[in-house]
Amino acid sequence: MTTDLVAAVDIGGTKIAGALVTGEGELLHRVQRPTPARESAADVLRAVTDVVTHLTDTADWARVRSLGIGSAGPLDARLGTVSPVNIPNWREFPLVDGVRKVVGELPVTLVGDGAAIAAGEHWLGAARGRRNALCMVVSTGVGGGLIVADRLYAGPTGNAGHIGHISVDFNGDRCPCGGRGCVERIASGTNIARYALAAGWRPAEPGGDATAAGVAAAAAAGDPIALEAFDRSARALAAGIAATATLVEIETVVIGGGVSQSGEVLFAPVRRALAEYATLPFVQGIELVPAQLGTDAGLVGAAAVCWQE
């Protein structure tokens, strides 16, 4: 058993988390800060470096051999820059250079948050033991990462597997990314709620939950509009999964994120649609399972990328 550690940082639109991680996946010295997503680029970097500094100040920092960063994207791992959609003032922002002011010449690996989650689920979660898998996050957005031939495939820039921006409806709504009919524009929690409200659904109680969680509860109770909103989301997800499987022959799809907490309200229609769309012999029978690592997936995955390297 190695006594070395890696440091991991997970950067999202609402929080920045950090930890030191053992070779068995145990998280030590956890730290978390809110993401000042609407503040200046320097303020956001300061929040990240505060997290990293907390880790460097621990007695265990001397055992750290590398730092893994999973960040909302898009990003360019080659240049160490990030342009997260949910952090507007970070555009081609030199994140790795900024962090190096704290960690010096320590090796730093940057990957997209979807790729990090895929690496984490493959190491210790629902994709463990699977050689080829797509791991997805369905939340306010839709992201993902690919495991190919038993290893994370992040691609040249660290963005591979970003299934949320596969177009599944070329006459669909314009997506904030600039595309049209993207999986995310249909299937995310934000867009499930948007569609249901536009179709006339309202929470049972005045002032009730009008988010995707509220729509999920209504769907579980049999509300026809809520059911249609989830069926529409499921068809978009299944179309993206089927397209991905056709390209890279995945065996397993892991779905996490807030919307996945709706359980069979989401998973049952995805399975039905997948059976309709994934019809070639080599893509039939894809395993569809819920993620296991929860909110730790990004940290575990950022560490997993370091351990893999």
Side-chain angles (χ1 to χ4, degrees), residues 69-81:
I69 303 174
S71 175
L75 51 81
D76 192 326
R78 299 168 300 186
L79 302 176
T81 59

Side-chain angles (χ1 to χ4, degrees), residues 209-229:
D209 188 352
T211 69
V215 180
D223 182 280
I225 296 176
L227 284 166
E228 169 57 24

Side-chain angles (χ1 to χ4, degrees), residues 172-265:
D173 292 343
R174 184 71 68 183
C175 179
C177 78
R180 190 178 291 280
C182 293
V183 171
E184 180 173 295
R185 182 63 176 165
I186 300 169
S188 72
T190 304
N191 286 300
I192 290 171
R194 179 180 65 89
Y195 177 86
L197 290 165
W201 174 82
R202 294 294 182 273
E205 301 294 331
D209 188 352
T211 69
V215 180
D223 182 280
I225 296 176
L227 284 166
E228 169 57 24
F230 267 86
D231 186 66
R232 178 174 178 268
S233 170
R235 292 196 304 272
L237 292 170
I241 291 167
T244 303
T246 303
L247 287 174
V248 297
E249 293 197 56
I250 55 176
E251 307 153 89
T252 299
V253 176
V254 177
I255 301 181
V259 177
S260 73
Q261 300 304 306
S262 56
E264 286 302 297
V265 168

